[in-house]
Amino acid sequence: MTVGKTPRGASRVRWAMAWLPWVCVLALQACSTASAPQGASAEIITPSDETDARRRARIRLELAVGYFESGKVAFALDEVKQALANDPGFADAYNLRGLIYMQLSDLPMAEESFRKALSVRPGDANVLHNHAWLLCLQQKYDEADKRFVEALANPTYTARTKSLMAQGLCQARAGDLVQAEKTFLRAYELDTANPVVGYNLADIFFRKGELTRAQFYIRRINNSELANAETLWLGVKVERALNEAVAMRQLSEQLRKRFPQSKETAALDRGAFNE
């Protein structure tokens, strides 16, 4: 079975959507430091180089990061506004503001925030990454892919695995599973323990009929603490297709025991292996 473009691609990454904090956490890595963020072309700024306005803005932004990470989005947004009131040219603040508005599902304001951050600091890989994911959520897949390529082209960018993972998810959402496979394989070369990458590779290879390859990737996840109902269900289907009765039974027992109310268990009980 061949895999090409399909409008059903988005459903194949549903489990991976639960891992979106991995996708968007990039922007927060730099917000609590006075140095330039990952991938930025700006020179390093030490605390002694800061203006009073930037120092006040940075303190506000550190508070905003703390609120955002603890789920207090309204408080985080207020602190970001205070940061920008002190320093209207603070790219990190616009970047975090974009993430906050994404969390609030205000995509136009998120778009404006990321574009503002890039106007202040062009080429920042973290901002490019976050803007790419926003474009993906808006189903602007070609634009999103270009942004991911821009971020990954930055030779100083250190979060390449996360951007490749997000790019692969976006390509899968667009239904381009051929390109998604290539992207996920690149990500896997950099991080073999990434469960989102492993799951999606297993799913793609299963749909292509490359069962041994699918088994390799899904077994790694199901033999770890990261297994969940969807990974176990995919594992059941892979082992069944390979006539591995013992492995299939073991995974089925795990699925029923650990996730008795899940739709995957319901599908298993119905014998709905081809849905």
Side-chain angles (χ1 to χ4, degrees):
M1 177 169 54
T2 59
V3 176
K5 288 182 179 286
T6 167
R8 299 174 58 192
S11 65
R12 297 174 183 175
V13 294
R14 180 169 44 80
W15 173 73
M17 294 302 102
W19 296 81
L20 287 186
W22 288 28
V23 176
C24 291
V25 74
L26 298 173
L28 304 184
Q29 296 174 350
C31 290
S32 60
T33 177
S35 62
Q38 292 180 350
S41 58
E43 62 180 333
I44 300 299
I45 300 173
T46 64
S48 62
D49 295 323
E50 284 187 310
T51 63
D52 288 341
R54 175 55 58 89
R55 181 182 58 81
R56 291 193 297 269
R58 176 175 53 79
I59 292 171
R60 288 289 189 178
L61 193 60
E62 289 171 355
L63 291 171
V65 170
Y67 283 130
F68 185 68
E69 291 178 337
S70 62
K72 298 177 181 179
V73 182
F75 288 103
L77 183 58
D78 187 62
E79 292 296 342
V80 167
K81 290 178 179 178
Q82 295 288 343
L84 290 171
N86 280 286
D87 187 350
F90 199 3
D92 288 339
Y94 288 113
N95 192 26
L96 180 56
R97 190 177 75 171
L99 290 178
I100 292 171
Y101 279 122
M102 283 178 69
Q103 184 80 9
L104 294 171
S105 298
D106 188 341
L107 302 191
M109 280 301 298
E111 174 85 17
E112 191 275 336
S113 298
F114 292 136
R115 290 193 182 278
K116 181 64 176 179
L118 289 170
S119 72
V120 175
R121 193 162 60 212
D124 184 291
N126 285 324
V127 183
L128 288 167
H129 169 100
N130 291 327
H131 189 212
W133 186 250
L134 173 66
L135 291 167
C136 185
L137 295 178
Q138 296 172 306
Q139 299 182 6
K140 299 177 181 179
Y141 298 121
D142 289 341
E143 294 178 59
D145 206 62
K146 291 177 183 177
R147 283 300 201 199
F148 281 123
V149 169
E150 287 181 64
L152 290 163
N154 191 318
T156 66
Y157 188 40
T158 60
R160 304 179 68 80
T161 302
K162 293 185 179 70
S163 283
L164 286 168
M165 179 190 74
Q167 185 182 28
L169 290 173
C170 190
Q171 290 163 343
R173 286 176 66 119
D176 189 354
L177 299 188
V178 172
Q179 189 58 48
E181 176 187 333
K182 296 177 182 177
T183 302
F184 284 129
L185 284 171
R186 287 178 62 197
Y188 192 82
E189 290 176 359
L190 298 176
D191 183 5
T192 60
N194 188 305
V196 178
V197 174
Y199 174 85
N200 280 275
L201 282 172
D203 184 57
I204 289 170
F205 287 132
F206 175 66
R207 293 174 186 278
K208 290 176 66 177
E210 297 183 32
L211 301 177
T212 301
R213 297 182 76 183
Q215 182 189 57
F216 170 80
Y217 291 104
I218 200 63
R219 277 189 173 184
R220 288 199 58 160
I221 300 172
N222 285 332
N223 289 335
S224 75
E225 70 279 3
L226 296 172
N228 65 15
E230 288 192 65
T231 67
L232 290 169
W233 177 229
L234 179 56
V236 168
K237 292 189 288 185
V238 169
E239 302 297 350
R240 176 177 179 271
L242 286 168
N243 296 315
E244 296 283 357
V246 175
M248 177 187 170
R249 183 176 66 252
Q250 291 174 340
L251 291 172
S252 298
E253 290 172 354
Q254 283 192 58
L255 180 57
R256 288 192 176 101
K257 181 178 180 180
R258 297 175 57 189
F259 306 100
Q261 304 302 318
S262 69
K263 59 181 178 47
E264 288 80 12
T265 297
L268 174 63
D269 291 339
R270 294 196 310 272
F273 299 104
N274 297 316
E275 287 186 355

